[in-house]
Amino acid sequence: MSCLNAFRALGGTFVLTLAMAAGPAQAQEACDFAPVDTRFEQLLTDAGLFGGAVLIGSHEGLLHERYFGLYQSATVVPIASATKLLSAVRVVQLAAQGRLDLDSPVSETLPAFQGVKGTMTVRQMFSHTAGYGDDLFDPVQGVDQPSLAAAVDQIACCVDMPKGWSPGAQFAYGGNSMHVAGRVVEVVSGSDWQAGWQQSIGAPLGIGSIDWQGLGETSNYRIAGGAQSNLRDYARLLHMLANDGFGNGRRVLGPGALAMLGSDNVGGLPIGYAPPMAFFPVRYGLGSWIEPSSISAELPTLSSLGAFGFFPWLDRARGVYGVFMIRGGINVNELARPAYETMMSSTQQIVDQQACAVLEWPMTIRVDSFESGEW
């Protein structure tokens, strides 16, 4: 009987943490990611930061992990716009389950949205094409709002789209539209946003540090930028995505969810607003940028750069991912983004040239979840 089948047969409820060396990889050698570490150390020096961390993994497991300066495995940082990918995973999870229609007008779920606002769709709201944008500092997303529901009611009644913008007519990067979509998720799922994410994604993957309190304690969860995480927990999510929705011994995303996440929703739309570090032509899926270095249109490289420098990326064609973790100032990405391009390119070259040994396959197994189909 295999280890996993043995756990199933026990039928109890307990949690066991394993650090498994992959069998086939034992005959391989660990890849040397020194070029990645060296460039990262230079970034820390140039930006005057006291620490950071790097993790590189594949669909098989952990390939490289290193902490610099004051950072440790327990270090948790606010991740700003890297939140968008976390949030999008919940959206496509519900869409694959048939509980959320990406293309229905928002008015069908939130009747307070009328007129042009009511025609927005979740697909548009999570790809910055819904008519809102350039609204990073809008107080409706602030931690002092009483709840996500109250904030979205405020958007419905009193926050107009910028003049000349309308649903489906332009790409304009921002947060208000994702805020509205987050409330749609609460309504269709019957769950509080944060609790629903932790129950349906965090707990199955063994994630403990991710919540939406990164900018301060709040019930107005900033769907587009309010989360926080440690290094490994974000990597657990990426590992699941690299395995087509299967992670930690169970399926978390259903068939078709990954295709929803990585399909370009911008096309030839005019650009109303894009952040300074954006690449042109802009290509954006749901909650994630499509990197220009993608070697496959069907399996693109996705990223979700946060304003403080936290940078998760997933090369779906290679089955490789990374998390580059810093907490810098608001302009840190002027230094960080070029460094990350070099680090990502170095990683891709290394895994193309070598068969990297898997150092560890971390699993937190919840025995009673193996046979559950509620992905």
Side-chain angles (χ1 to χ4, degrees), residues 161-184:
M161 295 176 182
K163 187 176 181 180
W165 292 0
S166 60
Q170 67 291 300
F171 174 90
Y173 189 81
N176 279 353
S177 63
M178 287 189 182
H179 226 59
V180 177
R183 179 57 184 158
V184 171

Side-chain angles (χ1 to χ4, degrees), residues 351-371:
V351 299
D352 282 348
Q353 295 168 2
Q354 304 176 52
C356 297
V358 174
L359 305 180
E360 186 179 316
W361 180 25
M363 294 179 64
T364 303
I365 298 176
R366 186 178 301 277
V367 176
D368 64 352
S369 72
F370 273 111
E371 303 304 331

Side-chain angles (χ1 to χ4, degrees), residues 93-101 375:
Q93 182 187 57
L94 289 167
Q97 291 172 345
R99 301 168 66 189
L100 184 153
D101 185 343
W375 43 259

Side-chain angles (χ1 to χ4, degrees), residues 76-362:
V76 173
V77 298
I79 64 175
S81 284
T83 303
K84 291 179 173 64
L85 178 55
L86 298 179
S87 297
V89 169
R90 177 64 168 147
V91 168
V92 298
Q93 182 187 57
L94 289 167
Q97 291 172 345
R99 301 168 66 189
L100 184 153
D101 185 343
L102 293 177
D103 299 308
S104 292
V106 66
S107 60
E108 292 185 5
T109 307
L110 304 178
F113 284 85
Q114 296 293 316
V116 172
K117 290 183 185 180
T119 68
M120 297 186 297
T121 69
V122 172
R123 188 186 304 277
Q124 292 169 343
M125 289 186 273
F126 253 83
S127 60
H128 307 292
T129 62
Y132 285 103
D134 193 14
D135 47 27
L136 175 63
F137 300 107
D138 195 318
V140 77
Q141 300 175 48
V143 296
D144 57 343
Q145 295 283 343
S147 66
L148 177 61
V152 170
D153 284 346
Q154 182 73 10
I155 294 173
C157 78
C158 309
V159 180
D160 294 331
M161 295 176 182
K163 187 176 181 180
W165 292 0
S166 60
Q170 67 291 300
F171 174 90
Y173 189 81
N176 279 353
S177 63
M178 287 189 182
H179 226 59
V180 177
R183 179 57 184 158
V184 171
V185 166
E186 287 192 327
V187 172
V188 301
S189 68
S191 300
D192 167 86
W193 169 271
Q194 180 173 275
W197 193 97
Q198 291 173 332
Q199 180 179 10
S200 62
I201 297 170
L205 293 177
I207 290 172
S209 70
I210 293 177
D211 60 31
W212 269 254
Q213 309 301 310
L215 301 179
E217 186 176 351
T218 186
S219 295
N220 183 31
Y221 312 117
R222 195 178 183 115
I223 306 302
Q228 58 186 352
S229 180
N230 65 24
L231 185 73
R232 278 209 175 189
D233 276 353
Y234 208 111
R236 287 179 185 273
L237 181 103
L238 295 178
H239 186 261
M240 178 270 294
L241 296 178
N243 281 283
D244 296 324
F246 190 85
N248 195 33
R250 66 171 295 178
R251 177 162 291 284
V252 177
L253 295 183
L258 269 293
M260 299 175 199
L261 198 67
S263 297
D264 179 29
N265 292 295
V266 180
L269 290 177
I271 307 302
Y273 171 75
M277 296 298 110
F279 288 101
F280 291 86
V282 170
R283 298 173 65 211
Y284 200 90
L286 296 178
S288 56
W289 300 94
I290 299 174
E291 289 284 320
S293 61
S294 298
I295 60 174
S296 168
E298 293 183 356
L299 299 172
T301 299
L302 306 178
S303 69
S304 192
L305 177 63
F308 309 135
F310 192 96
F311 184 67
W313 58 273
L314 168 66
D315 184 338
R316 292 190 61 208
R318 290 181 173 89
V320 176
Y321 58 87
V323 184
F324 304 152
M325 176 180 178
I326 61 174
R327 170 56 166 103
I330 197 67
N331 296 316
V332 72
N333 283 328
E334 294 178 9
L335 295 171
R337 178 66 205 201
Y340 293 161
E341 291 173 47
T342 301
M343 293 166 63
M344 188 163 54
S345 178
S346 294
T347 299
Q348 292 164 334
Q349 291 175 22
I350 290 167
V351 299
D352 282 348
Q353 295 168 2
Q354 304 176 52
C356 297
V358 174
L359 305 180
E360 186 179 316
W361 180 25

Side-chain angles (χ1 to χ4, degrees), residues 25-31 354-357:
Q26 291 174 346
Q28 301 168 350
E29 294 183 359
C31 284
Q354 304 176 52
C356 297

